Amino acid sequence: MKKLFGTFGVRRLANEVLTPEFASKLAAAYGSTVEGKIAVGGDTRTSTVMIKNAVISGLLSSGCDVVDLGILPTPAVQYAVRKYYDGGVIVTASHNPPQYNGIKFVDSDGIGIPDDLEEEIERIFFSEDFRRASWDKIGNLTSNPSIIREYQDGVIARVDAEAIRRRKFRVVVD
C-alpha cells in the first residue's frame, strides 16, 4: 500500500511536510529509477520555486540531466516530455488550497507513472537507497523557455482559430 502517492503524485503542506529536503529525496528516488533527460516545470504557487529547485537538485544528484521548463501548466509539461524527454516532474498541487504543493511524475509518454513505479520510488525514498552519481557524473541543468510557445502553437493548430476569432470571445485566463 502506498504511503506517499495519491491519485496523481504527492501533495502535502508546503514547507511543513513538503519541505525542500522531502522534495529532493523524492526526486532522487525518481531519478534512481529513470535515466536520461528529465523535464521539470511548475505553477505559480508561492512555494513552487523552492520545491522545484529541490526537485532539480535531487534529480541532478542521481545523475539525471534536467531541463527547466519554467512556469507552465501540467499539459504543457506533459507535451514537452512526450515530444523530447525521458521523463518529467511537475511541481503543482492543482486544485488544492494555496498552502499545499505537490510533485507529479510523468513517464516518457507524458502520462502519470504506473503504480509499480510509484511503489519503487517509495521503497527507495524510505530506505534511502538512492543512486548517487559520482562528482563527475552529476547531471547537467539546462532550460527550454521556448516550449510554452511551441505548446500554444500546437493547441492553436488543433482548433479552428479563425472561427474562434470571428466569434470575438472574451477570454479570462488564470
Side-chain angles (χ1 to χ4, degrees):
M1 185 165 141
K2 294 183 282 188
K3 296 177 183 174
L4 298 176
F5 284 85
T7 305
F8 187 1
V10 175
R11 295 182 188 139
R12 300 287 189 279
L13 282 170
N15 217 26
E16 289 185 27
V17 179
L18 184 49
T19 62
E21 297 83 4
F22 182 100
S24 181
K25 279 180 59 176
L26 192 62
Y30 173 70
S32 297
T33 67
V34 297
E35 292 183 8
K37 198 170 278 195
I38 308 301
V40 178
D43 66 16
T44 58
R45 288 169 185 267
T46 304
S47 60
T48 293
V49 170
M50 175 186 71
I51 299 300
K52 190 172 89 162
N53 282 303
V55 164
I56 289 169
S57 293
L59 291 168
L60 293 171
S61 77
S62 67
C64 294
D65 289 328
V66 178
V67 179
D68 185 350
L69 301 179
I71 296 171
L72 65 178
T74 294
V77 177
Q78 292 173 299
Y79 165 86
V81 170
R82 184 179 187 125
K83 195 155 184 186
Y84 300 111
Y85 306 114
D86 301 303
V89 182
I90 308 153
V91 180
T92 180
S94 302
H95 60 279
N96 287 289
Q99 64 268 33
Y100 285 84
N101 213 327
I103 301 172
K104 298 178 178 181
F105 298 100
V106 295
D107 65 16
S108 61
D109 289 328
I111 59 174
I113 59 174
D115 287 344
D116 61 333
L117 185 53
E118 290 178 345
E119 290 167 3
E120 178 64 5
I121 291 168
E122 286 192 4
R123 184 196 67 72
I124 294 168
F125 178 91
F126 288 114
S127 69
E128 298 194 7
D129 186 24
F130 307 107
R131 176 182 72 208
R132 295 288 188 194
S134 63
W135 68 270
D136 58 339
K137 302 276 192 263
I138 292 171
N140 293 306
L141 176 62
T142 57
S143 64
N144 183 354
S146 65
I147 197 67
I148 190 65
R149 172 54 57 198
E150 182 181 332
Y151 173 72
Q152 290 168 337
D153 292 345
V155 170
I156 290 169
R158 286 172 175 73
V159 299
D160 187 344
E162 277 309 310
I164 294 169
R165 282 186 195 100
R166 284 192 302 273
R167 292 291 308 264
K168 296 184 181 182
F169 288 114
R170 290 179 189 220
V171 179
V172 177
V173 178
D174 178 7

